[in-house]
Amino acid sequence: MAGREAGNTADDTSGAGVTPAPGHPTDEGPPPVPHQARSPQDEPAPGDGEPAGEAEQADARHPHTCTCPVCPRGTRAAHREAQAAFRARRDALAAGEGLPAAVSYSAGASRQWISDELTQAAREVGARARAEAAGWYVLLWRRTVYVVWGTVAALFLGQVATAFTAGWTAARTAGLLAALLGGGLLTGAARLHGRRGGVLAPVIGEDNRLSTSRAVAAFWVLLTAYAVLVLAGRLAFASGDGERDTLIAGLDLARGAGLVTVLAVTCAVAVVVRRVVAVRVQGQRLQKAQAPRPRAADLLTDDSGRAHFADTQYVLVSAVAVVYALVRLARRPDQLPDLPWGLALLVLVSAATYLASKYAEGSRPVIHAVVRAREAGDLDGPIRTGDDIEIRGAGFLPPSARTPDRLARMVVRIGAVHVHVPLVPVPGGFTNPSDTTLIVPVPVEVEPGKAEVQLVSAAGVETNKVTIEVGD
């Protein structure tokens, strides 16, 4: 979840904490939450060919009202309680409550102790968030199966309702059989990819968000496959040579040129966009971080959750064209949907706009200047060890990496010394770090003289280097 920024305060919307959810009466207690969060690279990658495994078995054993943190339905409650506990702890430390007397004598020691406490709590709640995401996937793949068969049932009811006036035809039988076959194939795919979202697995990107380009391409692929299956069913039930010739002619390129063109372009856009994003991330020209889990809003928004014009228009235009193609298939089930070239061109323009936006988006964090941080009443002077420095720039906090556990990973290199950016809380968020400024101390390990300052952002992207002079 992306954080919100108000003024110079990075607002935390994800929370963190340590309070577990209440368990249910069983002989085995829930496993403890690890105190050290693991990076996404340390997490075991879910295999595409593996079912949900232990989480699915736990969900089967426990009742639907269970709130223990070891079953899929209990992880959400555990995570929410952990968020509430973290927010309460953060606000208490921001008000100066709970600070040990041993560090209260020094502002620097107090800040470091508070930052370490919040970092530890944020890492623990990060583990809760990952557990919730794993349990959510277990429930998601089943729900995708329900949606698939609910769509098949709706098609059957619609055919039955319209058959009272027009009668039952071979085209209705072929359409229903095509839907049953497609539903069976999608169900098998959902079971096979149960740990990656079931039917939605092919349209979930590497950043754990729903990919707009893949989703649009998937709609056109499903439409085309369904149309071909309907024609195959009609051909199987055809009795005369003339009818068979008509159905075979319905697959001619002259009739389905618009549909085939749109299908080819949307699939090509999905492949190109994936390559473009991967190259820009690897070249550190685009900051990307894993989302907690995919959401339907990902199809219409950017990484920060704000409505994105290019994505929205691409989805809307494609949805309108798909609906038109379905209506044409219902009216003429003996041929591929003859998508008019005007509508096909509209989809192609929309796809080109979406692709251009992917080339234009993205920027790397940049440091503009590094100055000595000065408190009220301090004298002006050069930067010395023990002083605080203020790093000014832009793009320090990418929208997808503003959770506390990711903020705690920000590091500033001062020469050969790595300094972790301290978390400075205020009620409702943090004042340090922010998207444009951050403050870190200059440790005594930094040798006097010239030193290069470089930031590693919350998304793991390195900024440019700025040289400062450290005095004796």
Side-chain angles (χ1 to χ4, degrees), residues 345-434:
L345 182 61
L346 181 62
V347 176
L348 299 185
V349 171
S350 176
T353 303
Y354 174 79
L355 184 60
S357 73
K358 289 301 178 181
Y359 273 100
E361 74 177 8
S363 62
R364 63 182 303 171
V366 58
I367 296 178
H368 294 157
V370 179
V371 299
R372 178 176 177 267
R374 178 181 176 273
E375 298 290 341
D378 285 351
L379 298 177
D380 294 324
I383 298 175
R384 295 185 175 89
T385 57
D387 291 343
D388 289 340
I389 57 174
E390 180 180 318
I391 302 175
R392 301 173 182 175
F396 296 159
L397 305 182
S400 55
R402 296 187 178 182
T403 55
D405 58 327
R406 291 193 177 273
L407 295 181
R409 299 177 185 176
M410 297 181 65
V411 175
V412 174
R413 297 193 188 107
I414 307 177
V417 181
H418 291 207
V419 183
H420 285 78
V421 178
L423 300 178
V424 180
V426 292
F430 300 92
T431 57
N432 189 63
S434 71

Side-chain angles (χ1 to χ4, degrees), residues 253-461:
L253 184 61
R255 299 185 178 181
L259 176 64
V260 173
T261 302
V262 170
L263 175 65
V265 170
T266 53
C267 290
V269 167
V271 174
V272 172
V273 166
R274 179 179 182 182
R275 178 61 180 171
V276 167
V277 172
V279 169
R280 294 176 71 86
V281 169
Q282 292 172 3
Q284 296 195 355
R285 290 175 292 171
L286 177 65
Q287 300 192 79
K288 277 279 189 181
Q290 290 260 333
R293 67 186 187 188
R295 302 176 183 277
D298 295 339
L299 299 177
L300 306 176
T301 61
D302 56 15
D303 290 352
S304 64
R306 293 175 297 188
H308 194 268
F309 169 75
D311 292 51
T312 302
Q313 61 87 26
Y314 190 34
V315 171
L316 290 180
V317 171
S318 299
V320 170
V322 167
V323 170
Y324 178 88
L326 286 173
V327 173
R328 290 295 298 168
L329 178 63
R331 301 292 295 177
R332 296 293 301 273
D334 56 346
Q335 65 180 41
L336 289 176
D338 52 339
L339 201 65
W341 279 111
L343 185 56
L345 182 61
L346 181 62
V347 176
L348 299 185
V349 171
S350 176
T353 303
Y354 174 79
L355 184 60
S357 73
K358 289 301 178 181
Y359 273 100
E361 74 177 8
S363 62
R364 63 182 303 171
V366 58
I367 296 178
H368 294 157
V370 179
V371 299
R372 178 176 177 267
R374 178 181 176 273
E375 298 290 341
D378 285 351
L379 298 177
D380 294 324
I383 298 175
R384 295 185 175 89
T385 57
D387 291 343
D388 289 340
I389 57 174
E390 180 180 318
I391 302 175
R392 301 173 182 175
F396 296 159
L397 305 182
S400 55
R402 296 187 178 182
T403 55
D405 58 327
R406 291 193 177 273
L407 295 181
R409 299 177 185 176
M410 297 181 65
V411 175
V412 174
R413 297 193 188 107
I414 307 177
V417 181
H418 291 207
V419 183
H420 285 78
V421 178
L423 300 178
V424 180
V426 292
F430 300 92
T431 57
N432 189 63
S434 71
D435 192 53
T436 56
T437 61
L438 54 88
I439 297 176
V440 295
V442 180
V444 295
E445 290 80 7
V446 177
E447 297 291 338
K450 294 186 180 295
E452 291 183 334
V453 177
Q454 185 182 35
L455 169 68
V456 180
S457 75
V461 178

Side-chain angles (χ1 to χ4, degrees), residues 73-402:
R73 293 176 177 82
T75 52
R76 170 178 286 188
H79 186 209
R80 288 180 175 177
E81 290 188 8
Q83 288 178 323
F86 175 84
R87 295 189 182 106
R89 180 63 170 163
R90 178 197 60 200
D91 295 345
L93 291 175
E97 302 174 2
L99 193 64
V103 299
S104 59
Y105 68 91
S106 169
S110 300
R111 181 179 61 187
Q112 187 61 47
W113 185 89
I114 291 173
S115 178
D116 291 343
E117 284 290 302
L118 292 176
T119 298
Q120 185 73 7
R123 287 173 176 173
E124 291 192 4
V125 87
R128 295 286 191 191
R130 289 189 293 274
E132 178 190 3
W136 180 80
Y137 274 116
V138 172
L139 301 177
L140 176 63
W141 84 267
R142 297 177 180 174
R143 292 170 181 172
T144 58
V145 172
Y146 298 154
V147 171
V148 168
W149 289 107
T151 303
V152 174
L155 175 64
F156 172 72
L157 293 177
Q159 289 185 345
V160 171
T162 55
F164 284 110
T165 55
W168 191 268
T169 62
R172 299 179 188 274
T173 302
L176 183 59
L177 291 178
L180 291 174
L181 179 59
L185 293 175
L186 290 176
T187 301
R191 185 68 179 89
L192 187 65
H193 299 281
R195 297 184 64 182
R196 289 297 300 164
V199 175
L200 297 181
V203 299
I204 297 177
E206 286 72 16
D207 58 351
N208 212 28
R209 294 178 176 84
L210 288 179
S211 171
T212 302
S213 59
R214 297 184 196 181
V216 171
F219 276 121
W220 286 106
V221 168
L222 290 176
L223 169 64
T224 305
Y226 179 73
V228 172
L229 287 176
V230 169
L231 286 176
R234 290 289 313 278
L235 187 61
F237 288 103
S239 57
D241 293 339
E243 185 179 0
R244 293 192 187 97
D245 294 339
T246 301
L247 293 172
I248 294 175
L251 291 172
D252 288 344
L253 184 61
R255 299 185 178 181
L259 176 64
V260 173
T261 302
V262 170
L263 175 65
V265 170
T266 53
C267 290
V269 167
V271 174
V272 172
V273 166
R274 179 179 182 182
R275 178 61 180 171
V276 167
V277 172
V279 169
R280 294 176 71 86
V281 169
Q282 292 172 3
Q284 296 195 355
R285 290 175 292 171
L286 177 65
Q287 300 192 79
K288 277 279 189 181
Q290 290 260 333
R293 67 186 187 188
R295 302 176 183 277
D298 295 339
L299 299 177
L300 306 176
T301 61
D302 56 15
D303 290 352
S304 64
R306 293 175 297 188
H308 194 268
F309 169 75
D311 292 51
T312 302
Q313 61 87 26
Y314 190 34
V315 171
L316 290 180
V317 171
S318 299
V320 170
V322 167
V323 170
Y324 178 88
L326 286 173
V327 173
R328 290 295 298 168
L329 178 63
R331 301 292 295 177
R332 296 293 301 273
D334 56 346
Q335 65 180 41
L336 289 176
D338 52 339
L339 201 65
W341 279 111
L343 185 56
L345 182 61
L346 181 62
V347 176
L348 299 185
V349 171
S350 176
T353 303
Y354 174 79
L355 184 60
S357 73
K358 289 301 178 181
Y359 273 100
E361 74 177 8
S363 62
R364 63 182 303 171
V366 58
I367 296 178
H368 294 157
V370 179
V371 299
R372 178 176 177 267
R374 178 181 176 273
E375 298 290 341
D378 285 351
L379 298 177
D380 294 324
I383 298 175
R384 295 185 175 89
T385 57
D387 291 343
D388 289 340
I389 57 174
E390 180 180 318
I391 302 175
R392 301 173 182 175
F396 296 159
L397 305 182
S400 55
R402 296 187 178 182

